[in-house]
Amino acid sequence: MPITMLWAVDVYGRVYSLSTAGQRWVRADDMLLELKRVTAGKGRCWGIGCDHHIYLNIMPSETNIRFREETYENQRWNPVDGFTDVLLPTDRWPWSDVTGMNPQPLHSFQLPSRSWEWEGDWYVDQSCGEPSQTGGWEYAVDFPANFSPDKKWNSCVRRRRWIRYRRYTAQGTWAKIPLDNPRKPPLPLCDISCGGWEMSDQSGRYPYLWGVSQQGQVWFREGIHPRVPEGTGWEEVEVPKEVAQLSAGPGDLLWALLWDGNLLVRTGLSLDSPTGTSWLEVDSPSKEVEALHVAVGVSVVWVVTKDYKVWFRRGVNSHNPCGSGWISIGGEMMMVDVGLNDQVWAVGEDRGLYFRMGVTQSEPSGNGWIPVSAQWGSNKKLIPPREECEFRGQLTEASQASAPSGTDSDSELGPTNSEHSATPILEAAAPSIVPLGGTDTSVPPQEVKEPSSAPQQDAPKAFIPASDSFINSLVCDRDRISTTQPSITEMPQEDSVELPPAPVLPTLPAAGHDVPFMNVDLEGAEAARGGQAAGRLLNDVLGTLENSQGIGEEDGPVWTWVSGGGCNVDASSKISWLSPTGPLTSSLSLTPVQSAAWSEQPRQQERQEITRKPLERSNSVWVRKGTFRWWRDWKPQRWLDVVVALEQSTKSDGRKDSIFFVYYSQYDEKKYLQVFINEVTALVPVLHDCHYTFAVYTAERTKQRWPLVLAAPSEKEMNDWLDLLSNCCCECRGIAGAPCRQALWSTTAKGDIMVHEPSLSLEAAAHSMACDLMFWRQIPGHLRCVESNSLGLVWGIGWDGTAWVYSGSFGQQPSPVNPDMHLQTDVRSMHVYENQRWNPMTGYTDKGLPTDRPMWSDESGLKECTKGNTHPPSPQWSWVSEWAVDFSVPGGTDKEGWQYAADFPATFQGHKTIKDFVRRRRWTRRCKITVRGPWKAVPPIHLSDISLMPCLAQSKLEQVPVWALSDKGDVLCRLGVSPQNPAGSSWLHIGTDQPFKSISIGGANQVWAIAKDGAVFYRGSVSPQNPAGECWYHIPSPPRQNLRQLSVGRTSVFAVDENSNLWYRQGLTPSYPQGSAWELLSGNATKVSVGPLDQVWIVADGVPGFPTETPGAVCHRLGVGPMQPKGLSWDYGIGGGWEHISVRGNSAEPLRGPHAPPGGPPRSPAVQRPATQVNGSAVCV
């Protein structure tokens, strides 16, 4: 690591540097130099002198800083004299720049400052052509034209370039920057800040310099270049309000502090626009307390308020320079500075230097303060935090401050505050450091003897700004003695020294206490008071300084400013003067009271026992960043490369708050999206262009049907981010461990398993929870469908028909060594259809009509699907076979696998007739996935459907009825299923005369089923004593409709037909459980699930108003109750690729109250009232 410097200024204006390779502070060579503030960058440091001039210190290097001055000598040919410097009136100057627009004679070049010297005299540049032949001249026909070293017959003008080099000789010393001439210089500056050297990827990028004048104007230093380190001039930047202080980061961040305590943020900073475009105002972290100081880095902003509390700005980025919110950080500081690598340095309230430990890219707020303990002077004594006697006075002095820490002059005093000065600070004398986990040992305060001097409230206390000159530091030291506070601990009699009251320097009367700064003319005030009084005052002050501890040069500087912009350290750096020692813990916050107690601990232990108390825990911010691709929200939709960041802040009480950011650029303009984690409703892996893609849903994005779709570069990174985001979502919602027994289960078209923890308001009659506010989390595993009940039993079926039972040990990450996670495999077939049309000339060919479907398509014919562009459901799947003709298509095929029909679309059959003009055949290919999840296989029969009897949570059943259908359509009943044995013991075959395709068991052992031809059957006499029942009762289907799936609740039955219509069975009574008729309820339903409370949920085929939405949306029936079993309207929730839902475990009854119809407009289109179809009598088969 290269050697870099930390810069600091004490209250006397002396400048010091501390090398990362050294152990000792080094004072500047110029003993007469007094600076107010410094700002460091890579290889340089700027400062403001007490004479209001700007100073620059360039670090010595092996390469000299040289600048080439050049000018052009121009001549024109005439017939009399040949080439001469007598030019035409319209020609350029005889000596000019390369453009010829500006005159530049040799004698006009002057050195910019005393820091430069000429290396030699002017000489002709003879790099073009042969020097002996051309003399450095270039010829052309006229001005301006293309010059060449060859002289031609028509060359009427010529020029040559003169060069002279100057060298910068002030490296390693503080050089004064000259005033602009002839331009008007800015008013005296009170603050400067350099930054911007990391705004581009160019190596050795030069920094920018910003300044603030005493009148609140903002200035920008132009012309700073590696060859021109001093710059060329100042440019004023308009500001809406007066600025007191500003800070520029290494990148494109610039924040300014206003006199009213608020902050300004400069936007639009770039290489093309280094001064930015506009200002945005940000409120102070605390409404009651104004901001005192601001410091920015690459992507962080730190602020100190007037009560010396430290604040950290969340969500700051070049795409979002304003950030998103403030969090409080432990510690009491007067100013902070953000250096390289976003490391934080600070001047504490005790005037000691501190460093923020643990600052990394993932934890930008760090985790604790440690003092900078470097050696000082000729001895090897370390500089600890300030001594007790000095610190006590400064703490009282700082607590009365009401202005920014920086001052604009070396002779400024703040307004008095007698109200605060009357309150003694008692904690300063009592060390209060204890390791984390230590016990409190309270020592009762002993009596304190009042000093014989006058009461403190009679002596007004003046505020001394942080950037003081020599005279102000004397006043500060004088006031420190005059405001000595009583100590909690009783000192030995021989050690106690009673100091006489020191004289108080009169301050100018202020108009009010809100005046942040006061400019005091010390020379004028001194002349008015008289030379004799001033002499006595100065002698008293100097005498006091000699007797005070911790102020003189022997005990080290009293710091007022620090700059770490040129100090290259990070959290892993091994720096000798940054090693934490003593009882300080890095995870704790350090306040000046604690730092003083720590420094005094060895001395106080020799005198008496120290009173201890626990340290305050600080807030922290944790950040993780990654590179993704984002499917753009607007048209034309395409993938954009973005940077994502998850920022989590931890409060002192352990509460966490997280925000997810997406940073992107549009037309070279930096923008961002932000999603609050507590607003995320689902994180769903999706299939999109064969990327490792997942969608982030919120309530608002669910309503708009446009989730945030991100693609990760690898499967591992996608899974890591999904786990991280899911854990944050669960943590902020208080969800932990396995799903509860009342949970709603669902699966997506990809086979991902999702679960929702319901609340009592989910099924409330009035003010029910909106469906788009439901939070879904993913469960490890892979299934096609899943069913549950309120006793904690969950069964699922894979795409290959394997039955799986939930083992209930989810809560841990999949790991090969975790015995609770089981290996789960699934096999799925992917299909494409080959379509052909017959014509009289060639027969069946792949040349269709313009209105036909694609010749290779999916089953619907709406989407083109070929063998080449058809991929597995997700990258986790892998092919296990090649494409082959599928002969097991419903409706049959001929010997080549073709099915025939009259036209597209129509009903296809397996034989050709004279009217069949189109045909198709299905190609299939198998793929396989292997995952780990909390699921155990139930061999050996493959299933196509399964149903568990819903029951109330307080129900106690020895055996839970479970009915299923095999992949061949056989009806099965699982025996021995219980919460203790969720997999059961054996299958019992139930006889039927035809294969079935859907089955459901409801309350009171009601078993309904649908045959493959669409016929509906009811199983009679099913009971716990007779789990198989006795016979099937045929129930007529709705007219001209074939049902494909049904669900039975406690007292209701709902079914879905082949045309996605939802039907309700009327007339169900205990005495007549078959019901009387089917009533059409609505369309747009693919799956239905009825719970133990007769609640109705469906997977809708689409969402009204969003025709491009992917089929499969979770939908809740509102208004369902005993008097209204069919409900009133639909509430559409999360959608796009949902395959199955089960609410049969949610038996949490809502609180009973007056039933009120939902107010306001419906959340979904109203459904028309269908006609009722009367059913005939049941037939026993």
Side-chain angles (χ1 to χ4, degrees):
M1 178 181 294
I3 300 175
T4 55
M5 294 291 184
L6 175 68
W7 297 87
V9 180
D10 67 0
V11 295
Y12 297 94
R14 297 182 298 222
V15 184
Y16 300 88
S17 61
L18 179 60
S19 171
T20 54
Q23 299 180 356
R24 191 183 308 275
W25 286 100
V26 178
R27 184 181 172 183
D29 295 336
D30 189 354
M31 295 299 176
L32 300 179
L33 178 68
E34 289 187 10
L35 298 182
K36 295 180 179 181
R37 300 183 179 184
V38 292
T39 175
K42 284 189 174 181
R44 68 194 63 205
C45 185
W46 302 77
I48 301 179
C50 295
D51 55 358
H52 305 299
H53 281 275
I54 304 299
Y55 290 82
L56 173 63
N57 190 329
I58 300 291
M59 300 296 103
S61 64
E62 297 180 357
T63 303
N64 293 328
I65 300 177
R66 302 170 70 236
F67 185 81
R68 184 179 66 187
E69 299 282 9
E70 62 180 28
T71 185
Y72 284 83
E73 180 184 2
N74 306 303
Q75 292 184 355
R76 175 175 286 276
W77 181 87
N78 64 71
V80 178
D81 302 323
F83 282 99
T84 179
D85 56 359
V86 179
L87 306 178
L88 298 178
T90 57
D91 282 342
R92 59 183 62 186
W93 304 88
W95 293 87
S96 68
D97 59 1
V98 66
T99 64
M101 303 300 294
N102 302 313
Q104 291 186 169
L106 296 179
H107 60 80
S108 65
F109 288 86
Q110 302 293 330
L111 293 174
S113 66
R114 297 180 180 179
S115 302
W116 295 86
E117 68 177 9
W118 294 111
E119 287 190 347
D121 203 354
W122 289 96
Y123 66 91
V124 176
D125 180 17
Q126 299 184 0
S127 59
C128 55
E130 294 294 334
S132 60
Q133 298 178 3
T134 65
W137 292 104
E138 294 179 305
Y139 298 87
V141 176
D142 200 355
F143 300 117
N146 294 326
F147 287 86
S148 68
D150 299 328
K151 181 180 179 182
K152 301 179 181 179
W153 67 271
N154 59 351
S155 299
C156 298
V157 297
R158 68 179 181 178
R159 71 176 185 182
R160 61 180 174 181
R161 182 171 61 176
W162 291 76
I163 294 176
R164 191 179 190 184
Y165 283 91
R166 53 183 168 91
R167 181 174 67 250
Y168 188 78
T169 60
Q171 287 182 289
T173 61
W174 287 95
K176 182 185 296 186
I177 303 300
L179 297 177
D180 298 342
N181 189 24
R183 296 181 56 184
K184 180 181 178 180
L187 296 171
L189 299 179
C190 64
D191 187 45
I192 56 174
S193 180
C194 71
W197 61 82
E198 292 183 4
M199 196 176 294
S200 71
D201 297 333
Q202 300 176 8
S203 177
R205 175 70 185 178
Y206 53 91
Y208 298 135
L209 182 67
W210 296 78
V212 178
S213 67
Q214 291 183 348
Q215 281 67 30
Q217 301 168 331
V218 175
W219 296 82
F220 177 77
R221 186 68 176 173
E222 297 177 318
I224 298 179
H225 189 271
R227 300 298 183 185
V228 188
E230 299 168 315
T232 57
W234 291 97
E235 175 188 354
E236 185 177 359
V237 179
E238 296 293 334
V239 288
K241 298 180 181 180
E242 293 183 355
V243 174
Q245 182 251 330
L246 58 71
S247 177
D252 52 3
L253 288 183
L254 177 68
W255 281 55
L257 173 67
L258 299 175
W259 287 89
D260 59 7
N262 287 342
L263 300 122
L264 287 179
V265 182
R266 190 64 172 172
T267 61
L269 292 173
S270 64
L271 293 176
D272 298 329
S273 178
T275 58
T277 56
S278 61
W279 293 97
L280 298 176
E281 187 168 354
V282 177
D283 293 334
S284 174
S286 176
K287 295 181 179 180
E288 296 79 11
V289 184
E290 299 174 354
L292 177 69
H293 184 84
V294 63
V296 304
V298 176
S299 58
V300 296
V301 174
W302 293 73
V303 164
V304 178
T305 51
K306 289 186 178 179
D307 56 357
Y308 302 110
K309 301 300 182 184
V310 184
W311 299 81
F312 178 85
R313 186 70 173 175
R314 299 183 55 190
V316 175
N317 189 277
S318 59
H319 297 257
N320 179 24
C322 293
S324 57
W326 297 101
I327 68 168
S328 178
I329 301 295
E332 297 176 0
M333 302 296 169
M334 299 188 68
M335 64 84 63
V336 294
D337 183 77
V338 181
L340 299 179
N341 307 316
D342 284 342
Q343 302 300 308
V344 183
W345 310 83
V347 175
E349 197 179 14
D350 60 345
R351 298 301 181 99
L353 290 186
Y354 296 94
F355 173 73
R356 187 71 177 173
M357 289 188 60
V359 174
T360 60
Q361 290 187 352
S362 61
E363 192 173 356
S365 64
N367 51 33
W369 298 99
I370 62 171
V372 177
S373 54
Q375 298 176 8
W376 163 252
S378 58
N379 55 14
K380 295 185 178 181
K381 180 179 179 181
L382 299 180
I383 302 180
R386 307 310 305 168
E387 300 293 335
E388 174 190 354
C389 62
E390 174 195 356
F391 167 70
R392 183 166 59 245
Q394 288 188 347
L395 183 62
T396 307
E397 173 185 290
S399 66
Q400 302 166 3
S402 61
S405 63
T407 172
D408 307 329
S409 172
D410 59 342
S411 58
E412 292 174 354
L413 298 177
T416 61
N417 193 337
S418 59
E419 184 177 356
H420 286 282
S421 62
T423 304
I425 305 298
L426 300 181
E427 294 82 1
S432 57
I433 298 297
V434 65
L436 183 63
T439 59
D440 279 343
T441 308
S442 300
V443 177
Q446 303 178 9
E447 296 183 359
V448 180
K449 183 178 179 180
E450 294 291 338
S452 59
S453 59
Q456 293 181 4
Q457 57 267 28
D458 297 337
K461 182 72 177 67
F463 168 71
I464 303 301
S467 58
D468 305 319
S469 67
F470 177 75
I471 299 179
N472 268 347
S473 64
L474 298 183
V475 179
C476 176
D477 299 335
R478 189 274 334 279
D479 283 338
R480 182 180 300 112
I481 302 302
S482 65
T483 56
T484 304
Q485 302 295 337
S487 174
I488 291 180
T489 57
E490 182 179 357
M491 303 295 293
Q493 186 66 28
E494 59 271 18
D495 294 339
S496 61
V497 178
E498 194 171 309
L499 297 177
V504 178
L505 181 65
T507 58
L508 294 181
H513 292 287
D514 296 331
V515 180
F517 282 92
M518 296 183 63
N519 293 328
V520 182
D521 188 354
L522 291 184
E523 295 180 1
E526 186 177 359
R529 290 192 297 268
Q532 184 177 1
R536 286 199 304 267
L537 174 61
L538 187 58
N539 291 334
D540 292 340
V541 173
L542 292 177
T544 304
L545 283 176
E546 293 176 358
N547 297 328
S548 61
Q549 294 184 0
I551 304 298
E553 192 171 346
E554 295 181 357
D555 292 328
V558 181
W559 302 113
T560 184
W561 201 264
V562 65
S563 179
C567 188
N568 188 13
V569 300
D570 52 36
S572 60
S573 298
K574 303 299 182 182
I575 308 297
S576 59
W577 38 268
L578 285 181
S579 300
T581 56
L584 197 63
T585 305
S586 62
S587 62
L588 306 177
S589 299
L590 179 64
T591 65
V593 176
Q594 297 157 357
S595 66
W598 177 40
S599 64
E600 286 292 317
Q601 186 172 3
R603 185 181 309 173
Q604 296 292 342
Q605 283 178 347
E606 297 176 358
R607 298 174 181 174
Q608 60 184 21
E609 186 66 25
I610 300 175
T611 302
R612 300 174 181 268
K613 63 180 181 180
L615 292 176
E616 172 192 6
R617 287 185 176 273
S618 65
N619 300 337
S620 63
V621 175
W622 177 87
V623 178
R624 177 175 176 180
K625 297 182 179 180
T627 302
F628 278 73
R629 303 189 73 194
W630 168 50
W631 186 247
R632 195 168 64 178
D633 287 352
W634 59 88
K635 296 182 179 179
Q637 298 166 358
R638 60 186 180 90
W639 289 105
L640 294 179
D641 293 330
V642 298
V643 175
V644 300
L646 176 64
E647 183 180 285
Q648 183 181 79
S649 67
T650 304
K651 309 295 183 181
S652 57
D653 57 358
R655 293 182 294 109
K656 296 183 178 180
D657 181 20
S658 303
I659 306 177
F660 185 65
F661 294 94
V662 177
Y663 302 108
Y664 66 97
S665 297
Q666 180 185 5
Y667 305 117
D668 296 331
E669 183 180 359
K670 296 180 179 180
K671 296 185 177 182
Y672 73 98
L673 302 172
Q674 69 176 17
V675 178
F676 293 95
I677 292 298
N678 58 2
E679 297 179 358
V680 173
T681 56
L683 300 164
V684 186
V686 296
L687 178 62
H688 203 302
D689 295 344
C690 299
H691 295 295
Y692 297 98
T693 313
F694 64 92
V696 180
Y697 284 87
T698 62
E700 187 62 29
R701 287 184 171 270
T702 299
K703 294 177 183 178
Q704 298 174 357
R705 301 293 149 185
W706 195 263
L708 184 65
V709 180
L710 298 170
S714 64
E715 178 184 359
K716 180 181 183 301
E717 191 160 354
M718 183 190 73
N719 293 333
D720 290 345
W721 274 93
L722 281 176
D723 293 340
L724 178 62
L725 294 174
S726 180
N727 291 337
C728 290
C729 292
C730 294
E731 193 172 22
C732 72
R733 295 175 181 268
I735 300 175
C740 68
R741 297 184 176 184
Q742 313 290 328
L744 278 66
W745 292 75
S746 182
T747 58
T748 66
K750 284 177 71 277
D752 298 307
I753 308 165
M754 312 298 292
V755 65
H756 168 71
E757 307 288 342
S759 61
L760 295 178
S761 62
L762 184 61
E763 301 295 342
H767 309 293
S768 61
M769 179 182 180
C771 197
D772 50 34
L773 296 177
M774 299 171 59
F775 171 68
W776 297 88
R777 56 171 171 155
Q778 187 176 358
I779 302 299
H782 188 276
L783 295 173
R784 177 179 60 86
C785 66
V786 62
E787 288 291 333
S788 64
N789 75 350
S790 58
L791 298 181
L793 299 176
V794 182
W795 281 60
I797 301 176
W799 287 93
D800 57 358
T802 303
W804 301 87
V805 62
Y806 180 63
S807 63
S809 57
F810 126 84
Q812 302 177 10
Q813 297 297 328
S815 173
V817 299
N818 190 346
D820 296 331
M821 307 299 288
H822 309 284
L823 194 65
Q824 186 179 12
T825 60
D826 201 359
V827 178
R828 183 176 180 179
S829 296
M830 305 299 296
H831 305 294
V832 296
Y833 285 82
E834 181 184 3
N835 307 302
Q836 292 186 353
R837 176 174 287 277
W838 181 86
N839 66 73
M841 301 298 296
T842 58
Y844 285 102
T845 65
D846 57 0
K847 305 297 182 182
L849 299 177
T851 57
D852 281 345
R853 60 181 59 186
M855 293 297 100
W856 289 88
S857 68
D858 59 357
E859 184 177 7
S860 65
L862 301 177
K863 181 180 179 181
E864 183 178 8
C865 297
T866 64
K867 295 180 182 179
N869 65 11
T870 300
H871 303 280
S874 68
Q876 290 88 345
W877 293 78
S878 59
W879 294 116
V880 293
S881 69
E882 297 296 331
W883 289 103
V885 176
D886 188 2
F887 295 93
S888 61
V889 183
T893 66
D894 62 7
K895 61 181 180 178
E896 294 182 353
W898 292 103
Q899 292 182 308
Y900 300 86
D903 202 354
F904 300 119
T907 302
F908 287 84
Q909 69 278 352
H911 59 278
K912 182 182 181 302
T913 65
I914 194 173
K915 297 180 180 181
D916 294 333
F917 294 97
V918 296
R919 68 177 182 178
R920 71 175 186 183
R921 62 179 173 182
R922 187 169 76 178
W923 292 78
T924 183
R925 191 178 185 184
R926 300 174 66 197
C927 55
K928 181 179 180 180
I929 188 175
T930 301
V931 296
R932 284 187 174 272
W935 303 92
K936 292 183 179 179
V938 182
I941 302 177
H942 286 189
L943 305 180
S944 61
D945 195 13
I946 194 168
S947 179
L948 285 72
M949 188 181 78
C951 55
L952 299 180
Q954 61 271 22
S955 302
K956 296 183 179 179
L957 301 177
E958 294 182 359
Q959 293 190 7
V960 179
V962 176
W963 288 66
L965 298 178
S966 69
D967 56 352
K968 298 180 180 179
D970 298 329
V971 179
L972 305 172
C973 178
R974 188 68 174 178
L975 303 179
V977 178
S978 66
Q980 295 75 25
N981 183 24
S985 57
S986 61
W987 290 106
L988 176 63
H989 183 270
I990 308 298
T992 60
D993 58 352
Q994 59 178 316
F996 283 14
K997 60 181 179 182
S998 178
I999 194 167
S1000 179
I1001 179 172
N1005 291 278
Q1006 304 175 72
V1007 179
W1008 290 64
I1010 301 177
K1012 288 194 174 181
D1013 60 358
V1016 183
F1017 292 90
Y1018 171 79
R1019 186 70 174 177
S1021 303
V1022 178
S1023 65
Q1025 295 76 23
N1026 184 19
E1030 293 182 356
C1031 62
W1032 292 102
Y1033 292 89
H1034 179 262
I1035 308 297
S1037 301
R1040 297 181 300 277
Q1041 299 292 336
N1042 289 330
L1043 301 181
R1044 65 180 180 187
Q1045 187 256 335
L1046 55 75
S1047 182
V1048 184
R1050 182 166 56 180
T1051 60
S1052 61
V1053 176
F1054 289 80
V1056 178
D1057 63 19
E1058 298 289 348
N1059 296 320
S1060 299
N1061 297 316
L1062 181 64
W1063 297 84
Y1064 168 73
R1065 186 66 177 175
Q1066 294 182 337
L1068 268 69
T1069 62
S1071 59
Y1072 193 63
Q1074 299 93 334
S1076 57
W1078 291 102
E1079 179 182 350
L1080 179 63
L1081 193 61
S1082 71
N1084 191 33
T1086 59
K1087 294 287 179 66
V1088 62
S1089 179
V1090 183
L1093 304 178
D1094 286 333
Q1095 64 267 41
V1096 180
W1097 292 68
I1098 66 170
V1099 175
D1101 191 27
V1103 179
F1106 297 91
T1108 60
E1109 172 79 355
T1110 305
V1114 175
C1115 197
H1116 180 206
R1117 188 69 174 174
L1118 300 178
V1120 175
M1123 304 302 297
Q1124 189 68 36
K1126 299 185 296 294
L1128 298 175
S1129 62
W1130 292 108
D1131 180 19
Y1132 288 90
I1134 190 171
W1138 241 248
E1139 180 74 18
H1140 183 87
I1141 189 171
S1142 174
V1143 299
R1144 299 169 67 81
N1146 183 21
S1147 62
E1149 299 190 46
L1151 299 177
R1152 298 188 179 275
H1155 179 75
R1163 292 175 56 85
S1164 61
V1167 182
Q1168 60 180 359
R1169 304 301 300 171
T1172 301
Q1173 181 263 334
V1174 180
N1175 189 17
S1177 59
V1179 179
C1180 182
V1181 294

